[in-house]
Amino acid sequence: MEALVTGVAQMGPIQKIDSRAAVVRRMLALLAEAKARGCRFVVFPELALTTFFPRWVYEPGEPALDAWFEDAMPGPETRPLFDAAAAAGIGFYLGYAEKAGNRRFNTAILVDGTGRIVGKYRKVHLPGHAEPDPSRLGEHLEKRYFHVGDLGFPVFETMGAKIGMCICNDRRWPETYRVMGLQGVELIALGYNTPTGLGEPYQAAAQANMHNELSLRAGAYQNATWVAAAAKCGVEGGYPMIGQSMIVSPLGEVVAMAATLEDELITARCDMKLAAYARTEIFNFARHRRPEAYALITDRVGAGEPVVPSRAQMGLDDA
Ligand code: ING
């Protein structure tokens, strides 16, 4: 298929007291607008059904924490979203907190235009901390509440395109996009909840939107793929989160960007042919990549000692 008209359904704040039913009603309104605007695929945010609960301190396993996770997907509150999307022939990406037996994941699913779940992704890069620290201005406890994703970065052929997924902090790591790029991904869907003011210096907070755009545009351009990124944003429980949802072309251009910190739909006609030249020339991985030079990327976790060739290898005269 040549083009997939894609919507990004940015969502404004969800407060602790907001029910899933109320949130799904907001999502249904965004879906109706997406239908009216000719979308066949819609991206919702990370943890789209609830407030961003990793900002609060819980004991792992306590009932108040488990209440933020979904017992089933779809469940009674989310079934209306699946039904409305299927009736409209619209596929979607949905981020939510997943219970998988005794394991807990920050998860996203890919649902096709018939309402069938065709793919799942579990967040690999968990930012923040496992232990609370009252000296911080705010907490970001994803390492406390979620297991590291165990599904890799899969790419699914559905809705006439090769669609991959990631979640929030994943978008800051080039490896995320490249692993999917090496599977021929054509569109990467992702959701994010990005707080500011958790103690980083003012300058870093002022750069939050620039870092968001930089990460998304670089990932798209360097892998010749569309990127559709949906924020959950605005002030939740007194903590601000950035908006700036956007759709980026395989050439790195921002073709649509949200203008508010509320529920807002942005759309673009994602032509999969747009990447053709980039893939056959500039980022023709098969022709240009040299994995033998990249060993450190998988050999090391953290930065280590410099790796220096011998003077002889470098052809220096005093070898
Ligand atoms: N949120 C943030 C993100 O990566 C963060 C965490 C905020 C990291 C600011 C660095 C700077 O956008 C999630 N949920 O990953």
Side-chain angles (χ1 to χ4, degrees):
M1 185 251 309
E2 304 235 318
L4 182 62
V5 179
T6 299
V8 163
Q10 172 176 289
M11 295 181 68
I14 298 176
Q15 306 307 337
K16 271 184 165 179
I17 56 165
D18 291 339
S19 69
R20 283 176 174 79
V23 171
V24 168
R25 280 194 292 276
R26 289 166 54 185
M27 299 170 87
L28 289 171
L30 288 162
L31 195 67
E33 185 178 353
K35 181 183 179 188
R37 290 167 65 173
C39 295
R40 292 203 321 103
F41 181 55
V42 173
V43 182
F44 290 106
E46 169 191 30
L47 297 176
L49 300 169
T50 68
T51 197
F52 186 72
F53 63 86
R55 71 166 65 88
W56 308 118
V57 179
Y58 298 95
E59 284 310 309
E62 76 168 276
L65 170 62
D66 245 25
W68 296 119
F69 289 77
E70 303 308 312
D71 291 319
M73 184 51 69
E77 297 102 338
T78 46
R79 170 53 65 190
L81 179 69
F82 278 68
D83 292 348
I90 295 176
F92 61 92
Y93 163 111
L94 176 67
Y96 67 98
E98 178 193 9
K99 283 181 184 171
N102 60 3
R103 297 186 302 162
R104 299 288 181 268
F105 295 104
N106 186 341
T107 293
I109 50 173
L110 187 57
V111 182
D112 71 10
T114 71
R116 180 167 175 266
I117 300 176
V118 295
K120 179 179 282 188
Y121 168 72
R122 291 166 171 163
K123 189 173 182 179
V124 168
H125 297 99
L126 299 172
H129 310 89
E131 294 304 323
D133 175 350
S135 73
R136 284 196 282 268
L137 293 178
E139 295 289 0
H140 197 112
L141 296 168
E142 293 192 59
K143 292 180 188 296
R144 186 178 179 83
Y145 302 142
F146 301 121
H147 291 94
V148 172
D150 59 354
L151 301 174
F153 294 102
V155 171
F156 303 93
E157 299 204 59
T158 183
M159 292 171 269
K162 292 180 180 172
I163 299 178
M165 297 182 276
C166 68
I167 299 175
C168 203
N169 194 253
D170 290 323
R171 78 192 186 284
R172 299 180 192 275
W173 300 91
E175 296 90 338
T176 300
Y177 302 90
R178 184 48 50 87
V179 168
M180 289 188 271
L182 288 167
Q183 300 172 70
V185 73
E186 294 173 306
L187 188 153
I188 295 175
L190 68 100
Y192 58 92
N193 288 230
T194 299
T196 58
L198 292 192
E200 74 276 3
Y202 165 73
Q203 189 55 33
Q207 294 165 338
N209 279 31
M210 181 271 286
H211 288 155
N212 178 54
E213 182 173 344
L214 180 67
S215 301
L216 296 171
R217 294 182 73 174
Y221 167 64
Q222 292 168 350
N223 295 279
T225 178
W226 287 91
V227 172
K232 175 139 69 63
C233 55
V235 179
E236 288 188 347
Y239 290 89
M241 299 192 293
I242 70 168
Q244 205 190 41
S245 302
M246 65 179 77
I247 301 173
V248 184
S249 85
L251 303 176
E253 301 278 8
V254 178
V255 297
M257 183 185 284
T260 71
L261 293 177
E262 295 298 336
D263 294 6
E264 177 181 352
L265 183 80
I266 58 173
T267 60
R269 181 179 179 277
C270 297
D271 179 349
M272 302 306 158
K273 291 194 310 349
L274 206 56
Y277 179 77
R279 287 164 179 246
T280 55
E281 292 303 327
I282 306 138
F283 293 109
N284 182 322
F285 292 165
R287 275 177 52 204
H288 300 310
R289 289 187 72 247
R290 306 301 325 162
E292 68 274 13
Y294 311 152
L296 286 185
I297 290 178
T298 52
D299 289 352
R300 291 186 179 181
V301 179
E305 287 305 307
V307 177
V308 180
S310 71
R311 294 186 68 80
Q313 283 174 310
M314 294 188 284
L316 295 175
D317 51 12
D318 60 354

